[in-house]
Amino acid sequence: MSGTYTAVEVSQAGTLQVVKRPLAEPAAGQVRIRVEACGICHTDAATVTGVYPGLMLPRVPGHEVVGRIDALGSGVSKWTVGQRVGIGFFGGEDGVCEPCRRGDIVNCRNPVIPGVTVDGGYAEVMIAEARGIASIPDELTSAEAAPLLCAGITTYNALRNAGLRGGDLVAVQGIGGLGHLGIQFARRMGFRTVALGRGREKEKLATDLGAHVYIDTAVDDAVAVLQRMGGARAILATGTSGSAMGPLVSGLAARGKFIVVGVPGDQIQLSAFPLVFGGRSIYGTLAGTAIDNEDTLAFSVLENIRPMIETVPLEQAAEAYARMMQGKARFRMVLVTKDGVAGSAPIN
Ligand SMILES: NC(=O)c1ccc[n+]([C@@H]2O[C@H](COP(=O)([O-])OP(=O)(O)OC[C@H]3O[C@@H](n4cnc5c(N)ncnc54)[C@H](OP(=O)(O)O)[C@@H]3O)[C@@H](O)[C@H]2O)c1
Ligand SMILES: [Zn+2]
Ligand SMILES: [Zn+2]
């Protein structure tokens, strides 16, 4: 590998720029990854616009990264050069804050976040903390695996940790990168799956992905439809609009859970009535850890779940990001490097 590599960095707020970077060696506890694919998550907008709290520019975005290890820092024993690995939003914990000391590392107060606190995967090369990476199963191509590392893990973990039972009515609001995987996970976990989208355009896609019922929130009263069905045991809210989320709480059954994974810029307005009368609850959940990512990938292989993706060369990151922001991606834009295009036949 030459002494430089191509990356796409946010050089100043709002600008994604193709640059050359000097190759660096991984420090103790780190691995260097030759990136093959990186998904474009909506959360990348907080890096591109520069609003992520504490963000320092320039920064390379990207936290749905798959590639092969090409160098190991000292003290790394679990991983080997040539192994295909991935990393998501969780890039490593500090191990010393209170949540970490209680074993809740995903809520670490001082986390490593690829694309935010360190450079991420819009690049041919990325350096990652070894404790943040996950092994990629041979059944998945790198471009398929990448979106599972954030959009996938976030919806998979949210659903599997919600205390649901087979046959429960589960609604997924928002059919984008997260939502289209949430629908597949909900269906394959054995839930009666409802997709909530805006307009008829996504109806067929949603039912093809496994939704038993599609509700067009542009014309239908989603709360009334859900209540006619008995009320949802859980609503997984993946959209980017807080004003669209709040009223949906009334579509829950008694004791139902409104699970917030989308992070809208506007406030979520709530009425106390459905919370108090019926004991409904609302809470958020953040992606998951490296081992949760391995669980997500394993379940996806087991149940034949794949993201729907549009692949583009790394150098066209700005165009691909714009397509995602315009809501045109079906359903995940994935950047592919020369190594990714060359193909990733499993070598182990
Ligand atoms: N909790 C976590 O750990 C986590 C992880 C990753 C991402 N996120 C957050 O999750 C959100 C979605 O990310 P993504 O990558 O899936 O984004 P995306 O692919 O761009 O999809 C955006 C979604 O927002 C919905 N939406 C947009 N405008 C809306 C409106 N006015 N009313 C209702 N729905 C609207 C769209 O639904 P339609 O089908 O109705 O168009 C679509 O499902 C973002 O806020 C992102 O930051 C959170
Ligand atoms: Zn993400
Ligand atoms: Zn911590």
Side-chain angles (χ1 to χ4, degrees):
M1 175 170 272
S2 70
T4 62
Y5 65 91
T6 299
V8 180
E9 67 175 29
V10 183
S11 45
Q12 57 186 34
T15 305
L16 280 167
Q17 194 177 9
V18 179
V19 294
K20 286 283 178 195
R21 293 256 181 128
L23 202 59
E25 295 303 316
Q30 295 181 330
V31 301
R32 190 173 66 201
I33 299 169
R34 231 175 336 134
V35 177
E36 296 185 353
C38 181
I40 298 184
C41 177
H42 205 104
T43 304
D44 295 347
T47 299
V48 176
T49 59
V51 302
Y52 204 102
L55 181 75
M56 309 266 275
L57 299 180
R59 180 60 78 221
V60 176
H63 59 259
E64 291 183 345
V65 194
V66 177
R68 284 191 191 279
I69 295 177
D70 86 332
L72 299 173
S74 63
V76 176
S77 55
K78 179 176 163 47
W79 306 98
T80 53
V81 169
Q83 198 172 354
R84 202 160 57 116
V85 296
I87 192 155
F89 193 76
F90 174 89
E93 74 282 21
D94 68 359
V96 297
C97 73
E98 182 171 332
C100 279
R101 291 177 64 208
R102 294 188 187 281
D104 186 15
I105 62 174
V106 77
N107 289 314
C108 176
R109 289 193 188 135
N110 184 34
V112 178
I113 306 175
V116 178
T117 69
V118 295
D119 286 327
Y122 291 19
E124 290 176 337
V125 172
M126 177 186 161
I127 288 182
E129 299 298 324
R131 66 193 185 285
I133 62 177
S135 177
I136 305 294
D138 289 347
E139 291 86 345
L140 300 171
T141 67
S142 296
E144 286 172 340
L148 295 170
L149 301 177
C150 181
I153 190 177
T154 300
T155 49
Y156 174 74
N157 254 359
L159 290 169
R160 74 167 172 167
N161 294 330
L164 296 162
R165 299 190 295 179
D168 279 355
L169 182 62
V170 171
V172 178
Q173 180 256 343
I175 307 166
L178 266 64
H180 92 287
L181 284 164
I183 291 168
Q184 296 185 67
F185 287 128
R187 174 65 185 254
R188 297 297 196 281
M189 286 180 189
F191 305 134
R192 196 175 161 209
T193 303
V194 177
L196 307 182
R198 298 170 300 157
R200 297 249 77 101
E201 187 237 334
K202 291 183 182 171
E203 177 170 13
K204 180 165 186 321
L205 287 166
T207 50
D208 287 349
L209 290 165
H212 295 99
V213 173
Y214 178 82
I215 300 176
D216 175 0
T217 57
V219 294
D220 298 325
D221 179 345
V223 167
V225 178
L226 288 171
Q227 286 301 346
R228 273 202 300 278
M229 295 175 75
R233 301 300 314 167
I235 297 176
L236 180 64
T238 78
T240 53
S241 163
S243 62
M245 285 186 189
L248 290 175
V249 173
S250 297
L252 291 168
R255 304 262 172 221
K257 297 172 179 177
F258 195 85
I259 311 169
V260 179
V261 289
V263 189
D266 60 326
Q267 303 273 307
I268 304 173
Q269 302 280 344
L270 292 172
S271 163
F273 284 91
L275 299 175
V276 173
F277 297 93
R280 298 169 181 85
S281 57
I282 174 168
Y283 62 93
T285 161
L286 174 66
T289 64
I291 196 72
D292 292 328
N293 253 333
E294 293 192 1
D295 292 348
T296 306
L297 294 163
F299 186 77
S300 301
V301 169
L302 182 71
E303 288 297 326
N304 203 25
I305 290 166
R306 299 288 184 277
M308 281 179 65
I309 57 173
E310 298 181 30
T311 56
V312 289
L314 168 66
E315 291 75 7
Q316 290 169 28
E319 292 87 339
Y321 170 80
R323 189 167 165 76
M324 180 278 295
M325 290 302 284
Q326 291 156 6
K328 292 184 181 158
R330 294 292 175 271
F331 279 101
R332 203 49 140 191
M333 306 306 298
V334 178
L335 304 175
V336 179
T337 66
K338 286 196 260 326
D339 287 319
V341 172
S344 186
I347 58 167
N348 46 0

